[in-house]
Amino acid sequence: MKSLRARLSLWFALSATITLAVLFVVGYLLLESYIQRDLDLLNKTEFEQIRARLGTDYSALTPQIVDQRIRETTNYASVLFYINIDEPPHDILFYSNNLDGKPIPDVPGKHVYNTFVPGVGELRVGEFIMPPFDVTIGTPTRQMRQGLTAYVEVSVALLVIMLLTSGLIGIATSRMILRPVRLIGETANRIRSDNLAERIAVPSGKDELFDLVRLLNQMFDRLEASFKQARQFSEEVSHELKTPLSLVRLHAERLLVEGRLERRHEDAVLVQLDELARINQMIDELLFISRAEVNGVKLNLVSQHPAHFLRSIEPDLRVLAEHRGRRLHSVQHGDGLVAMEEKWLRQVIFNLLTNALRVSPPNGMIVMQSTVDSSGWCVSIADQGPGLTEEQCERVFDRFVRFNVQAGEDQGSGLGLTICRSIIELHGGSIRAQPRTDGPGLRVSFELPLAPPMLEPSHAVIQPLLGSS
Ligand SMILES: Nc1ncnc2c1ncn2[C@@H]1O[C@H](COP(=O)(O)OP(=O)(O)OP(=O)(O)O)[C@@H](O)[C@H]1O
Ligand SMILES: [Mg+2]
């Protein structure tokens, strides 16, 4: 059973029912022993009556007189008592009529016991010595057994009721007890890199929950501080790097312009300029990602038809694919309005296509499918490359993650998909990668919600950080 609430309810119901069951068992044993004690008392009283009736000179009486006197005494209670009198080692001296000539069995060494007489049933027996006679008196236990059976039936019914009610009480109680824990979980789940300032509400009362919340909030304080530091550090380093990088680039360009370099030195400077451009782009990308994480990038959303948007970028996508010797097939279904900022979505699609082109075999087919329906706009780009495993697909959107990179291959920084995810999430959508099911290759798809009706373009400003791909 996975849920703590269910476990608590079950434990509560079981412990309450088991406690009651134990009480019932103890009650049963006590009741039985009380009734038996009463029966023993009854037998003893009957014996006293017999003894009084026989008188002190009973040993001198003939068996006929003994028989007659006892019958006179016991006949009135023949339903209640079963009596036999022995005179060891001789035969039995007296049987009450209700015994039908069957003796009450003797249990050696015991004076009170339960025994079963065929045709009579269970008896509670008391054995009394009246030398030279052994008087055995039995009382039926039928009434006692009936009473105890009724007790057991009532107890079982009460246990069932107890199990049900304590189960319900357990559910309600565990819900009440776990409510603060659920609230803590919900708040802790909301606290992400973009709202690190949120804290869990401290419960009233200085109990264990209070301590837990205090500790969690302290942990979030520390996390927030380190996040801030890390973000500030990467922003500052990025800014600090830009100036010396620009200077290096200016110097290198001046060397080229002056034209006094030998051919091989000129080539080296060109390589340096290429690398500088790459580093610059990487810095821009890192700055963008860290701002996007704190919602520091504001979008200028405009409602538009995805089909128009895709038509406008399709020629460029096709040229890019042809240039790399691959084929692009584009499919579009449905219509609707989606709130987007065109340049960012253009960047996402170009990043995804660039990745697909990089892994596709020569003349490989890349399929771009766009579907708009009531659930939103979904775009997928599927290639015929080697694809990725499920586990790699989980990690592929993390920063600097690159798989199966061959030496000398076209160098990427491993930030493209991280940026795609940031852009899509800024648009309120989601993106994922999955292995193709209809052949080798990878399918990366993103989904955006439909625009709320009458969305006005926002006038917030976007910091233009990234050069277009
Ligand atoms: N379509 C694909 N098929 C197989 N692997 C892919 C595909 N797209 C991405 N990958 C893998 O995911 C890694 C990360 O991709 P991402 O776009 O983030 O970085 P990059 O392409 O290496 O560099 P950048 O895009 O920053 O220039 C890639 O290095 C590649 O290993
Ligand atoms: Mg890429």
Side-chain angles (χ1 to χ4, degrees):
M1 204 170 288
K2 281 191 178 162
S3 127
L4 181 59
R5 211 176 82 195
R7 284 206 305 270
L8 278 178
S9 313
L10 188 72
W11 288 339
F12 180 76
L14 283 182
S15 54
T17 312
I18 289 171
T19 311
L20 191 64
V22 169
L23 289 179
F24 280 151
V25 171
V26 173
Y28 180 94
L29 296 174
L30 284 177
L31 197 61
E32 189 183 33
S33 93
Y34 280 135
I35 297 176
Q36 283 182 347
R37 209 180 305 160
D38 281 354
L39 293 180
D40 292 341
L41 215 63
L42 221 56
N43 287 341
K44 192 161 181 238
T45 313
E46 179 67 6
F47 167 69
E48 296 298 346
Q49 229 169 2
I50 291 171
R51 185 158 60 181
R53 184 69 187 87
L54 287 178
T56 46
D57 59 343
Y58 63 88
S59 50
L61 298 175
T62 63
Q64 286 76 15
I65 295 181
V66 169
D67 188 281
Q68 186 196 348
R69 285 191 186 174
I70 297 177
R71 275 191 209 289
E72 281 167 8
T73 318
T74 58
N75 264 358
Y76 75 96
S78 62
V79 190
L80 203 55
F81 297 111
Y82 294 76
I83 303 165
N84 72 229
I85 301 178
D86 303 341
E87 190 185 1
H90 308 293
D91 272 351
I92 289 178
L93 193 70
F94 173 84
Y95 280 121
S96 57
N97 291 340
N98 49 15
L99 277 173
D100 279 341
K102 291 175 221 118
I104 298 174
D106 185 27
V107 177
K110 284 200 168 182
H111 291 296
V112 282
Y113 53 89
N114 289 353
T115 189
F116 189 82
V117 179
V120 173
E122 192 192 30
L123 294 178
R124 178 69 183 173
V125 176
E127 212 179 274
F128 307 93
I129 311 294
M130 213 172 83
F133 304 141
D134 271 6
V135 181
T136 309
I137 303 175
T139 312
T141 56
R142 197 171 38 252
Q143 295 294 330
M144 176 186 85
R145 293 286 165 223
Q146 278 173 0
L148 288 175
T149 308
Y151 174 90
V152 170
E153 284 169 5
V154 171
S155 302
V156 169
L158 287 177
L159 282 177
V160 173
I161 294 172
M162 181 65 172
L163 189 66
L164 294 177
T165 44
S166 58
L168 291 177
I169 293 173
I171 291 172
T173 317
S174 57
R175 182 177 295 189
M176 199 177 69
I177 294 174
L178 291 178
R179 194 170 157 268
V181 177
R182 206 184 60 239
L183 291 179
I184 291 172
E186 281 171 8
T187 317
N189 195 31
R190 272 202 309 274
I191 301 178
R192 292 164 194 271
S193 56
D194 54 351
N195 73 335
L196 271 174
E198 186 167 349
R199 290 292 175 270
I200 302 167
V202 181
S204 56
K206 300 216 162 185
D207 51 13
E208 290 83 351
L209 277 177
F210 174 87
D211 289 339
L212 175 69
V213 169
R214 206 168 42 85
L215 284 175
L216 281 173
N217 280 343
Q218 282 171 0
M219 187 184 80
F220 287 129
D221 286 345
R222 290 196 296 273
L223 273 178
E224 188 185 9
S226 359
F227 255 82
K228 265 190 187 152
Q229 260 178 11
R231 199 171 290 138
Q232 210 169 336
F233 176 77
S234 70
E235 282 204 17
E236 280 170 10
V237 167
S238 307
H239 278 299
E240 291 304 316
L241 280 176
K242 289 206 106 172
T243 320
L245 280 175
S246 312
L247 283 174
V248 174
R249 200 189 71 227
L250 282 174
H251 282 295
E253 281 172 354
R254 193 189 305 153
L255 282 176
L256 283 182
V257 171
E258 283 174 1
R260 279 185 280 164
L261 295 176
E262 286 179 28
R263 180 79 197 153
R264 61 196 174 93
H265 290 145
E266 210 176 287
D267 287 348
V269 173
L270 281 171
V271 171
Q272 282 173 13
L273 280 174
D274 263 1
E275 290 303 315
L276 281 172
R278 243 170 58 77
I279 294 172
N280 254 322
Q281 177 165 358
M282 213 189 288
I283 290 172
D284 286 344
E285 289 175 343
L286 279 172
L287 269 172
F288 174 81
I289 292 168
S290 67
R291 283 184 190 170
E293 274 173 0
V294 284
N295 284 335
V297 179
K298 300 282 176 260
L299 297 184
N300 197 7
L301 295 175
V302 178
S303 288
Q304 54 179 304
H305 294 276
H308 291 173
F309 163 69
L310 286 179
R311 257 200 303 279
S312 72
I313 62 168
E314 203 177 313
D316 293 345
L317 296 173
R318 220 167 268 290
V319 168
L320 190 64
E322 278 164 16
H323 175 69
R324 304 283 291 265
R326 274 69 168 168
R327 291 171 296 148
L328 175 68
H329 179 61
S330 158
V331 194
Q332 157 76 37
H333 296 293
D335 192 21
L337 280 176
V338 174
M340 60 171 114
E341 179 158 351
E342 229 181 275
K343 75 169 184 182
W344 294 120
L345 285 188
R346 184 185 151 88
Q347 169 147 10
V348 169
I349 291 176
F350 270 87
N351 278 357
L352 299 184
L353 182 69
T354 311
N355 284 349
L357 289 173
R358 195 180 284 156
V359 295
S360 289
N363 203 31
M365 171 72 85
I366 293 161
V367 179
M368 181 171 79
Q369 191 160 359
S370 154
T371 314
V372 186
D373 58 24
S374 57
S375 61
W377 177 36
C378 175
V379 179
S380 71
I381 293 184
D383 58 58
Q384 294 178 320
L388 294 174
T389 63
E390 294 278 358
E391 189 264 332
Q392 288 172 327
C393 287
E394 294 283 314
R395 296 176 43 225
V396 78
F397 294 97
D398 293 345
R399 292 172 200 207
F400 300 115
V401 168
R402 307 189 72 218
F403 299 111
N404 315 322
V405 183
Q406 312 284 326
E409 212 182 61
D410 178 9
Q411 285 184 23
S413 55
L415 289 175
L417 287 179
T418 317
I419 287 177
C420 290
R421 184 177 59 184
S422 296
I423 293 173
I424 294 298
E425 285 179 355
L426 284 171
H427 280 80
S430 62
I431 185 167
R432 63 182 180 147
Q434 42 190 159
R436 277 180 79 157
T437 49
D438 52 351
L442 189 74
R443 180 190 309 278
V444 185
S445 48
F446 66 81
E447 284 177 19
L448 293 187
L450 290 182
M454 307 297 294
L455 179 84
E456 290 296 327
S458 117
H459 297 292
V461 182
I462 286 185
Q463 200 107 5
L465 278 168
L466 305 178
S468 54
S469 297

